Amino acid sequence: MAGERVETDEGRYDYAQVERKWQEAWVAADMYRTPVAGNRPKYYMLTMYPYPSGDFHVGHWYAMTPADTYARYKRMRGHDVLFPIGFDAFGLPAENAAIKRGIHPRVWTMGNIDRMRAQLRTMGTMFDWAREVVTCQPEYYRWNQWFFLQFLKRGLAYKKHAPVDWCPSCQTTLAREQVVGEDRRCERCDTPVIRKDLDQWFFRITQYADELLSFDGLDWPERVKAMQTNWIGRSEGTQFRFEVAEESFDVFTTRIDTLYGCSFAVLAPEHPLVERIVTAEQREAVAAYTSQATRESDTERMSTTRERTGVFTGAYAKHPMTGQPIPVWIADYVLVTYGTGAIMAVPGHDERDFDFATRYGLPIPRVIEGGELPYTGDGKVVNSGPYTGLDSEAAWNAIADELERRGIGRGTVQYRLRDWLISRQRYWGTPIPVIYCDKCGIVPVPEADLPVILPPDAEFRPTGESPLLHDQAFLNTTCPQCGGPARRETDTMDTFVDSSWYMCRYVSPHDEAAPFDRLAADQWLPVDTYTGGIEHAILHLMYMRFFTKAMRDLGLVSFSEPALRLRNQGIILGENSEKMSKSRGNVVNPDDLVARYGADVVRMFLMFIGPWDQGGPWNSRGIEGIVRFQQRLWRSCLDAAAASGGAHPADAGLRRALHQAIARVSGDMDRFAFNTAISALMTLLNEVGSYRDAGGNSGELLREVMSALTRMIAPMAPHQAEEMWRRLGGSGSVHLQAWPEPDADQLRQERVTVVVQVNGKVRDRVEVPVDAPEDEVRAAALASAKVQAALGGRPATKVIAVPNRLVNLVVG
RNA sequence: GCCGGGGUGGCGAAACGGCAGACGCGGGGGACUUAAAAUCCCAGGCCCCGUGAGGGGCGUGCGGGUUCGAAUCCCGCCCCCGGCACCA
């Protein structure tokens, strides 16, 4: 660790030499090995592991620099810190790139990982590489398979024939979460998805729908919580039965108070009952409508601007309250995938039902007072038999009670959340560990036979069928139960399975007996602070929460949430405030920046731009300010190392500025306000400059100040701080030093400046002894000519005094 | 439509209900230099008065309110960004 001194050119800081030297020294000293079973409090800092796309762009730097800075800060604050890294190495881009270049996805992926590891080292990050996790390796993905088998045993994994979303470009099914926007596009490639009916594997995330709505005890951004809450989409309502001759169907409604206003019912065209109740006269029209509705894409069907259409089935249901026959229609505005796939239509109090009734001449009764029809608000219930006169809420409860008493209805909760479709018809993923036997049916691969290895030589080009289907050696196997010939499942898992539990793998990344070691998990987990992009607000972050709850119910962990605190970085835009992209020509390459400015400057500038969750445009001139700061810092350091003067009248002021800075920077670091932490350090350095200008040259004080400043800047500029620490005579690594503590005594001043207001307007400032009694402050204020002028001879009727800050004189 | 986050100088931004604009960028003035770069110093919201030191008014998207005092809290709007949406 005892690095040689770097020769400097007339005091100019040579970042290239210093950074190279310390990066090598840190590796040699194994600086960032995670402590094993320390007696200091633990801190698990986690940043979302990157996808090995080939090169880090400046957005990765923006994401990772504060995470690294915070991990370093927590270590200096006395914690044992776990700060691991790995690669999210399965997934479509590897296949696509491999197809384009004719190389194997593994070769492409592992080559990228090598390059990205080197880039991460140039950032000066303190990742513990001994714990690196690469998800495309069998040592990792075997545990995906193991989890799948545990889920299967518990009914948390199941196979179902269902209408699913298919991306025609990626040639695979997708989870509902991977279909985005009003026009339902593939999250990855932006192609509109189509609907297919397929047998697919699902994880039963809906079992945790209610629990996923609770964020108690979590310090997560409001927008992430809101997005997940929206996505889960909980509605409380009533489910009840309509009878149609010998048949019946259930409907779900959130407005049971409007039941008397139900003048017809609507089934989704795909509803299984349609075929059984349709009358002979209507059969042809219904069949025509249904086949057209199924042929239409979701985009057309979901359009809110189109006319509502439907067809009468010829059947009548019995209104559960009035006993009146009401017509049963089919219409594509009722979705088979939500609720029961059937609704009671209340045209007087629902806009969609109103439009439909208007178009087809159905009656539109009013049962709630207020407004023009359709009136969708609450109010007094009318035309509702015995419930007439109640307000909506009372009627809601009373009608629901009656339905329940009569055994035809009950209060239920519906969620928009769907189970997580994990099957993918692609090559580069974890094989699903299931075997199909003609005799025994679906047979799980025995745990002892894991991992089911992804065959390295399969033809991986996408065809719409699973590539593994064409790999005979993989496909054909024997049944673990009867020993007869059998076939393997050829779909692979969604890569979001990999990232749902990787935070656990880091605690014991080489464990061969279990996905993770229970003792190590109890020591480190859950994650204390998790950082990453907002784009994962629903996908990864919800899946990870689901997995954690499932792991808890499997008895694997004792906590219910994976990460206690979440912080999302914003997006760094190009200099023209547009999204960075090659086609726009506004991409900022971090390697070029590091070559030109050094890692420390890039790190500091990215944190100085503004609040981290806000992102913002790159500013190639702004970075020069950080370069100047770096050089000033360096000169002040050399200066302090050489200073030999004694005590000076300005000492107290500088010492106070130091302790103010310590208090400020500590608070800013705690709350992830890196931009203001850096400005506080700049202010302190400016104070050092003023002290020198005033003639101060106390060697002892300057070294004390610069030592604290060096330690405070160490998490942000790790290389320069390490070099400065040596120049100031420090021993050991600066990164193993204790964070400076503010000293309240040093913050005390003899005299303070108090603002004097008259009627809330600032009129003057007076200097008084610290903690001066109110009388004295008031007297000083009244002694001011400016204050007297503002008072204009009127006496103060009221005096508000904030000690050491402000006095406000109120006149009539 | 529902939900969440925003709106402060030329720009990026600061500000436990208590001096709005810290810190930095850019531009302006000056020092050093033959000159430039680098570095350092000064001024720096807008408007008005004053030759000047200085003084006054206005000012945090808009309109109200609470308060001795509001960028900050409350009510009602406008605009921008993000999420959800024929979800019954």
Side-chain angles (χ1 to χ4, degrees):
Chain A
M1 291 298 294
E4 281 174 44
R5 287 203 161 186
V6 174
E7 293 308 317
T8 57
D9 170 20
E10 297 171 75
R12 191 158 179 90
Y13 175 71
D14 182 349
Y15 63 82
Q17 261 190 78
V18 173
E19 293 187 357
R20 190 176 342 109
K21 176 179 77 167
W22 288 115
Q23 281 168 18
E24 285 166 11
W26 293 333
V27 170
D30 206 7
M31 265 278 290
Y32 300 131
R33 178 63 58 86
T34 309
V36 181
N39 41 21
R40 311 198 305 173
K42 72 96 177 180
Y43 202 89
Y44 189 172
M45 180 74 203
L46 184 63
T47 182
M48 290 180 189
Y49 65 174
Y51 181 80
S53 55
D55 276 302
F56 281 113
H57 51 79
V58 75
H60 283 107
W61 276 70
Y62 190 64
M64 295 202 168
T65 300
D68 184 64
T69 295
Y70 196 72
R72 290 173 177 280
Y73 169 68
K74 291 308 272 191
R75 180 158 67 174
M76 293 179 79
R77 283 294 228 172
H79 289 79
D80 280 341
V81 174
L82 172 59
F83 184 52
I85 190 71
F87 292 92
D88 184 17
F90 269 141
L92 284 178
E95 280 183 64
N96 295 338
I99 289 161
K100 205 164 137 193
R101 291 156 214 229
I103 54 170
H104 194 275
R106 174 176 302 277
V107 174
W108 183 84
T109 301
M110 297 311 284
N112 286 347
I113 289 175
D114 280 345
R115 196 158 55 250
M116 292 170 84
R117 279 192 197 113
Q119 277 183 307
L120 282 172
R121 288 212 167 89
T122 69
M123 289 171 69
T125 50
M126 65 169 269
F127 293 120
D128 178 357
W129 287 98
R131 289 173 182 259
E132 184 196 46
V133 156
V134 178
T135 58
C136 65
Q137 290 169 343
E139 305 84 74
Y140 186 83
Y141 71 69
R142 69 174 294 182
W143 300 110
N144 286 344
Q145 297 172 338
W146 184 85
F147 276 116
F148 180 94
L149 295 176
Q150 310 311 310
F151 284 14
L152 194 59
K153 265 190 251 177
R154 294 279 183 132
L156 284 174
Y158 66 92
K159 194 173 194 185
K160 187 173 76 171
H161 187 75
V164 297
D165 297 303
W166 171 272
C167 173
S169 165
C170 297
Q171 301 259 42
T172 182
T173 52
L174 299 171
R176 180 64 188 83
E177 287 76 23
Q178 286 153 8
V179 178
V180 296
E182 214 173 330
D183 44 0
R184 301 177 54 75
R185 289 169 183 275
C186 169
E187 172 250 350
R188 189 159 285 287
C189 73
D190 236 27
T191 307
V193 299
I194 59 172
R195 171 154 299 178
K196 282 197 175 191
D197 287 299
L198 294 172
D199 278 308
Q200 299 281 287
W201 285 98
F202 292 86
F203 282 167
R204 204 179 295 280
I205 190 171
T206 54
Q207 182 166 321
Y208 294 96
D210 245 329
E211 203 186 338
L212 287 167
L213 285 168
S214 164
F215 297 89
D216 289 352
L218 296 189
D219 175 10
W220 281 32
E222 281 308 317
R223 59 177 169 164
V224 173
K225 294 192 279 186
M227 282 163 80
Q228 291 200 5
T229 302
N230 278 344
W231 185 260
I232 293 165
R234 183 182 201 274
S235 337
E236 279 183 34
T238 309
Q239 188 172 322
F240 68 93
R241 194 166 64 231
F242 274 108
E243 286 174 4
V244 190
E246 304 302 304
E247 304 277 358
S248 71
F249 64 93
D250 276 0
V251 298
F252 172 75
T253 179
T254 54
R255 287 301 301 273
I256 197 65
D257 54 315
T258 65
L259 176 56
Y260 280 82
C262 169
S263 57
F264 59 103
V266 187
L267 302 179
E270 303 91 335
H271 197 289
L273 190 69
V274 173
E275 212 166 293
R276 300 211 295 275
I277 62 168
V278 64
T279 59
E281 308 83 75
Q282 291 301 102
R283 183 167 294 277
E284 200 177 317
V286 164
Y289 184 82
T290 303
S291 75
Q292 199 207 324
T294 4
R295 245 184 296 117
E296 282 185 331
S297 72
D298 278 353
T299 312
E300 294 162 319
R301 223 181 126 168
M302 308 271 282
S303 164
T304 48
T305 53
R306 63 178 278 163
E307 292 252 5
R308 293 190 200 297
T309 60
V311 177
F312 180 40
T313 63
Y316 289 85
K318 194 171 120 188
H319 192 287
M321 291 300 181
T322 65
Q324 293 293 310
I326 59 168
V328 180
W329 287 63
I330 61 168
D332 62 7
Y333 79 91
V334 175
L335 308 176
V336 74
T337 49
Y338 183 78
T340 61
I343 60 157
M344 68 169 197
V346 182
H349 306 287
D350 180 283
E351 283 177 27
R352 294 154 299 180
D353 298 344
F354 181 86
D355 292 346
F356 193 82
T358 305
R359 179 175 175 124
Y360 293 105
L362 295 157
I364 305 176
R366 173 189 281 279
V367 291
I368 304 278
E369 278 188 355
E372 243 178 71
L373 295 183
Y375 172 70
T376 56
D378 286 353
K380 203 171 96 174
V381 171
V382 295
N383 301 322
S384 296
Y387 303 103
T388 297
L390 297 178
D391 64 22
S392 289
E393 195 186 337
W396 205 100
N397 292 322
I399 296 175
D401 282 352
E402 182 187 333
L403 292 171
E404 183 148 12
R405 210 164 49 242
R406 286 167 49 197
I408 58 170
R410 66 198 160 83
T412 55
V413 177
Q414 289 292 336
Y415 300 92
R416 189 166 50 240
L417 181 68
R418 301 268 83 86
D419 277 338
W420 174 13
L421 195 172
I422 61 146
S423 301
R424 296 293 177 274
Q425 291 72 46
R426 295 291 300 232
Y427 167 71
W428 193 231
T430 304
I432 294 175
V434 158
I435 289 168
Y436 300 101
C437 169
D438 287 340
K439 267 200 280 186
C440 310
I442 296 178
V443 183
V445 173
E447 284 179 30
D449 293 351
L450 297 184
V452 177
I453 296 282
L454 181 69
D457 49 358
E459 175 57 62
F460 51 77
R461 279 154 218 282
T463 61
E465 285 182 308
S466 304
L468 296 179
L469 192 60
H470 304 289
D471 185 318
Q472 298 300 316
F474 176 85
L475 178 67
N476 296 310
T477 184
T478 53
C479 171
Q481 268 176 33
C482 71
R487 285 156 291 110
R488 286 189 188 279
E489 168 66 65
T490 54
D491 283 354
T492 53
M493 292 183 203
D494 183 359
T495 54
F496 280 105
V497 175
D498 313 0
S499 52
S500 291
W501 65 280
Y502 80 116
M503 69 290 182
C504 297
R505 187 65 181 172
Y506 283 133
V507 307
S508 56
H510 310 296
D511 199 319
E512 292 179 7
F516 52 88
D517 178 72
R518 179 64 195 252
L519 286 175
D522 286 345
Q523 184 197 342
W524 287 112
L525 288 161
V527 172
D528 292 284
T529 296
Y530 192 33
T531 63
I534 187 73
E535 68 274 16
H536 292 111
I538 296 174
L539 287 154
H540 162 57
L541 288 171
M542 196 177 65
Y543 294 150
M544 188 190 212
R545 294 180 68 216
F546 155 66
F547 239 81
T548 301
K549 292 168 199 304
M551 287 193 289
R552 176 202 60 201
D553 291 347
L554 291 166
L556 296 172
V557 297
S558 52
F559 49 90
S560 299
E561 289 287 348
L564 301 176
R565 185 186 191 214
L566 176 72
R567 290 293 180 270
N568 301 113
Q569 75 269 9
I571 295 168
I572 291 293
L573 303 169
E575 195 136 26
N576 55 0
S577 296
E578 290 176 21
K579 202 178 167 214
M580 278 193 202
S581 73
K582 281 178 194 157
S583 58
R584 291 189 180 90
N586 61 353
V587 173
V588 177
N589 180 334
D591 291 346
D592 296 346
L593 292 173
V594 172
R596 182 158 169 201
Y597 300 106
D600 286 339
V601 164
V602 178
R603 290 170 63 111
M604 283 192 283
F605 180 58
L606 287 171
M607 288 188 281
F608 184 66
I609 287 176
W612 189 54
D613 58 358
Q614 199 175 295
W618 177 258
N619 182 335
S620 56
R621 277 202 286 215
I623 197 169
E624 297 294 342
I626 300 293
V627 172
R628 292 199 269 265
F629 173 59
Q630 175 174 61
Q631 295 298 336
R632 276 204 308 274
L633 192 59
W634 180 245
R635 286 195 298 273
S636 291
C637 169
L638 298 183
D639 213 31
S644 57
H648 187 274
D651 286 1
L654 179 58
R655 197 168 266 119
R656 188 161 60 243
L658 168 64
H659 288 273
Q660 275 168 354
I662 294 172
R664 179 97 193 267
V665 174
S666 305
D668 287 347
M669 295 291 270
D670 286 332
R671 62 189 182 93
F672 256 59
F674 305 103
N675 57 329
T676 51
I678 292 174
S679 40
L681 292 170
M682 288 174 168
T683 304
L684 177 58
L685 188 62
N686 291 346
E687 290 291 335
V688 172
S690 305
Y691 171 78
R692 298 307 307 262
D693 288 349
N697 190 31
S698 160
E700 194 187 337
L701 176 59
L702 282 169
R703 282 186 286 277
E704 180 191 331
V705 171
M706 289 311 295
S707 161
L709 185 46
T710 299
R711 280 174 285 153
M712 288 192 282
I713 203 112
M716 301 165 182
H719 311 87
Q720 184 178 1
E722 192 78 296
E723 186 66 25
M724 284 168 57
W725 183 249
R726 301 311 161 101
R727 297 299 181 104
L728 290 165
S731 60
S733 171
V734 69
H735 302 296
L736 302 175
Q737 307 304 314
W739 186 259
E741 294 289 343
D743 182 340
D745 290 342
Q746 303 292 351
L747 285 169
R748 285 190 68 80
Q749 301 175 271
E750 305 262 302
R751 298 178 70 78
V752 288
T753 302
V754 166
V755 169
V756 183
Q757 297 182 334
V758 175
N759 282 349
K761 281 187 192 293
V762 178
R763 294 301 178 184
D764 202 359
R765 294 166 183 83
V766 294
E767 198 176 274
V768 295
V770 72
D771 293 335
E774 192 182 319
D775 287 353
E776 191 179 338
V777 178
R778 186 200 305 213
L782 290 171
S784 155
K786 288 178 195 167
V787 171
Q788 283 302 330
L791 288 172
R794 297 165 297 179
T797 53
K798 193 171 176 183
V799 178
I800 313 294
V802 181
N804 299 328
R805 295 194 81 146
L806 171 142
V807 57
N808 187 10
L809 307 172
V810 185
V811 297

PDB file of all heavy atoms in Angstrom, chain A residues 187 203 208 263 367 370 423 435 442 592 639 649 701 705:
ATOM      1  N   GLU A 187     -42.049  -4.681 -24.462  1.00  0.00           N
ATOM      2  CA  GLU A 187     -41.238  -3.764 -23.670  1.00  0.00           C
ATOM      3  C   GLU A 187     -39.819  -3.677 -24.217  1.00  0.00           C
ATOM      4  O   GLU A 187     -39.149  -2.664 -24.103  1.00  0.00           O
ATOM      5  CB  GLU A 187     -41.262  -4.267 -22.217  1.00  0.00           C
ATOM      6  CG  GLU A 187     -40.357  -3.589 -21.250  1.00  0.00           C
ATOM      7  CD  GLU A 187     -39.204  -4.471 -20.813  1.00  0.00           C
ATOM      8  OE1 GLU A 187     -39.195  -5.687 -21.113  1.00  0.00           O
ATOM      9  OE2 GLU A 187     -38.284  -3.939 -20.201  1.00  0.00           O
ATOM     10  N   PHE A 203     -46.054 -18.228 -12.536  1.00  0.00           N
ATOM     11  CA  PHE A 203     -45.834 -18.122 -11.090  1.00  0.00           C
ATOM     12  C   PHE A 203     -47.031 -17.387 -10.506  1.00  0.00           C
ATOM     13  O   PHE A 203     -47.466 -16.359 -11.043  1.00  0.00           O
ATOM     14  CB  PHE A 203     -44.548 -17.344 -10.777  1.00  0.00           C
ATOM     15  CG  PHE A 203     -43.286 -18.154 -10.945  1.00  0.00           C
ATOM     16  CD1 PHE A 203     -42.049 -17.507 -10.968  1.00  0.00           C
ATOM     17  CD2 PHE A 203     -43.307 -19.545 -11.064  1.00  0.00           C
ATOM     18  CE1 PHE A 203     -40.875 -18.234 -11.102  1.00  0.00           C
ATOM     19  CE2 PHE A 203     -42.131 -20.276 -11.202  1.00  0.00           C
ATOM     20  CZ  PHE A 203     -40.911 -19.623 -11.224  1.00  0.00           C
ATOM     21  N   TYR A 208     -50.078 -13.158  -3.695  1.00  0.00           N
ATOM     22  CA  TYR A 208     -49.517 -12.145  -2.798  1.00  0.00           C
ATOM     23  C   TYR A 208     -50.016 -10.740  -3.151  1.00  0.00           C
ATOM     24  O   TYR A 208     -49.449  -9.757  -2.677  1.00  0.00           O
ATOM     25  CB  TYR A 208     -47.991 -12.189  -2.857  1.00  0.00           C
ATOM     26  CG  TYR A 208     -47.430 -13.483  -2.301  1.00  0.00           C
ATOM     27  CD1 TYR A 208     -47.103 -14.530  -3.142  1.00  0.00           C
ATOM     28  CD2 TYR A 208     -47.249 -13.649  -0.931  1.00  0.00           C
ATOM     29  CE1 TYR A 208     -46.597 -15.733  -2.638  1.00  0.00           C
ATOM     30  CE2 TYR A 208     -46.743 -14.831  -0.416  1.00  0.00           C
ATOM     31  CZ  TYR A 208     -46.427 -15.864  -1.271  1.00  0.00           C
ATOM     32  OH  TYR A 208     -45.934 -17.041  -0.763  1.00  0.00           O
ATOM     33  N   SER A 263     -80.444  -2.860 -16.232  1.00  0.00           N
ATOM     34  CA  SER A 263     -81.519  -3.129 -17.181  1.00  0.00           C
ATOM     35  C   SER A 263     -81.113  -4.151 -18.241  1.00  0.00           C
ATOM     36  O   SER A 263     -81.903  -4.506 -19.105  1.00  0.00           O
ATOM     37  CB  SER A 263     -81.970  -1.833 -17.844  1.00  0.00           C
ATOM     38  OG  SER A 263     -80.868  -1.204 -18.469  1.00  0.00           O
ATOM     39  N   VAL A 367     -81.319   5.396 -10.747  1.00  0.00           N
ATOM     40  CA  VAL A 367     -81.477   4.907  -9.376  1.00  0.00           C
ATOM     41  C   VAL A 367     -80.655   5.690  -8.362  1.00  0.00           C
ATOM     42  O   VAL A 367     -80.678   5.384  -7.174  1.00  0.00           O
ATOM     43  CB  VAL A 367     -81.146   3.401  -9.261  1.00  0.00           C
ATOM     44  CG1 VAL A 367     -82.199   2.551  -9.978  1.00  0.00           C
ATOM     45  CG2 VAL A 367     -79.754   3.082  -9.792  1.00  0.00           C
ATOM     46  N   GLY A 370     -79.030  12.998  -8.632  1.00  0.00           N
ATOM     47  CA  GLY A 370     -77.917  13.929  -8.836  1.00  0.00           C
ATOM     48  C   GLY A 370     -77.438  13.903 -10.269  1.00  0.00           C
ATOM     49  O   GLY A 370     -77.265  12.846 -10.866  1.00  0.00           O
ATOM     50  N   SER A 423     -42.707 -18.653 -19.069  1.00  0.00           N
ATOM     51  CA  SER A 423     -42.192 -19.459 -20.201  1.00  0.00           C
ATOM     52  C   SER A 423     -41.706 -18.545 -21.325  1.00  0.00           C
ATOM     53  O   SER A 423     -42.381 -17.587 -21.681  1.00  0.00           O
ATOM     54  CB  SER A 423     -43.306 -20.339 -20.770  1.00  0.00           C
ATOM     55  OG  SER A 423     -43.822 -21.206 -19.798  1.00  0.00           O
ATOM     56  N   ILE A 435     -40.273 -32.701 -16.967  1.00  0.00           N
ATOM     57  CA  ILE A 435     -40.237 -33.761 -17.975  1.00  0.00           C
ATOM     58  C   ILE A 435     -41.673 -34.216 -18.240  1.00  0.00           C
ATOM     59  O   ILE A 435     -42.489 -34.294 -17.313  1.00  0.00           O
ATOM     60  CB  ILE A 435     -39.358 -34.934 -17.477  1.00  0.00           C
ATOM     61  CG1 ILE A 435     -37.885 -34.489 -17.480  1.00  0.00           C
ATOM     62  CG2 ILE A 435     -39.557 -36.186 -18.328  1.00  0.00           C
ATOM     63  CD1 ILE A 435     -36.946 -35.426 -16.753  1.00  0.00           C
ATOM     64  N   ILE A 442     -46.902 -34.721 -16.212  1.00  0.00           N
ATOM     65  CA  ILE A 442     -45.859 -33.730 -15.915  1.00  0.00           C
ATOM     66  C   ILE A 442     -45.057 -34.197 -14.706  1.00  0.00           C
ATOM     67  O   ILE A 442     -45.613 -34.355 -13.617  1.00  0.00           O
ATOM     68  CB  ILE A 442     -46.476 -32.347 -15.628  1.00  0.00           C
ATOM     69  CG1 ILE A 442     -47.191 -31.827 -16.879  1.00  0.00           C
ATOM     70  CG2 ILE A 442     -45.415 -31.373 -15.161  1.00  0.00           C
ATOM     71  CD1 ILE A 442     -47.884 -30.489 -16.670  1.00  0.00           C
ATOM     72  N   ASP A 592     -13.991   7.972 -22.845  1.00  0.00           N
ATOM     73  CA  ASP A 592     -13.345   9.201 -23.314  1.00  0.00           C
ATOM     74  C   ASP A 592     -13.219  10.215 -22.180  1.00  0.00           C
ATOM     75  O   ASP A 592     -12.208  10.902 -22.040  1.00  0.00           O
ATOM     76  CB  ASP A 592     -14.160   9.849 -24.444  1.00  0.00           C
ATOM     77  CG  ASP A 592     -14.212   8.957 -25.685  1.00  0.00           C
ATOM     78  OD1 ASP A 592     -13.417   7.993 -25.751  1.00  0.00           O
ATOM     79  OD2 ASP A 592     -15.048   9.230 -26.561  1.00  0.00           O
ATOM     80  N   ASP A 639      -0.053  22.652  -0.050  1.00  0.00           N
ATOM     81  CA  ASP A 639       0.131  23.848   0.749  1.00  0.00           C
ATOM     82  C   ASP A 639       0.046  23.553   2.240  1.00  0.00           C
ATOM     83  O   ASP A 639       0.886  23.970   3.026  1.00  0.00           O
ATOM     84  CB  ASP A 639      -1.047  24.757   0.364  1.00  0.00           C
ATOM     85  CG  ASP A 639      -0.661  26.185   0.403  1.00  0.00           C
ATOM     86  OD1 ASP A 639       0.516  26.469   0.132  1.00  0.00           O
ATOM     87  OD2 ASP A 639      -1.554  27.005   0.701  1.00  0.00           O
ATOM     88  N   PRO A 649      -5.380  34.920  14.173  1.00  0.00           N
ATOM     89  CA  PRO A 649      -6.745  35.335  14.566  1.00  0.00           C
ATOM     90  C   PRO A 649      -7.839  34.705  13.728  1.00  0.00           C
ATOM     91  O   PRO A 649      -8.965  34.543  14.198  1.00  0.00           O
ATOM     92  CB  PRO A 649      -6.725  36.855  14.358  1.00  0.00           C
ATOM     93  CG  PRO A 649      -5.291  37.243  14.389  1.00  0.00           C
ATOM     94  CD  PRO A 649      -4.491  36.067  13.936  1.00  0.00           C
ATOM     95  N   LEU A 701      -3.543  23.626  11.992  1.00  0.00           N
ATOM     96  CA  LEU A 701      -4.953  23.790  11.615  1.00  0.00           C
ATOM     97  C   LEU A 701      -5.182  23.407  10.154  1.00  0.00           C
ATOM     98  O   LEU A 701      -6.136  22.716   9.831  1.00  0.00           O
ATOM     99  CB  LEU A 701      -5.397  25.234  11.868  1.00  0.00           C
ATOM    100  CG  LEU A 701      -6.838  25.538  11.414  1.00  0.00           C
ATOM    101  CD1 LEU A 701      -7.841  24.639  12.122  1.00  0.00           C
ATOM    102  CD2 LEU A 701      -7.162  27.009  11.658  1.00  0.00           C
ATOM    103  N   VAL A 705      -7.755  20.591   8.889  1.00  0.00           N
ATOM    104  CA  VAL A 705      -8.859  20.854   7.964  1.00  0.00           C
ATOM    105  C   VAL A 705      -8.732  19.983   6.716  1.00  0.00           C
ATOM    106  O   VAL A 705      -9.690  19.337   6.282  1.00  0.00           O
ATOM    107  CB  VAL A 705      -8.900  22.348   7.577  1.00  0.00           C
ATOM    108  CG1 VAL A 705      -9.901  22.588   6.456  1.00  0.00           C
ATOM    109  CG2 VAL A 705      -9.251  23.196   8.791  1.00  0.00           C
TER     110      VAL A 705
END
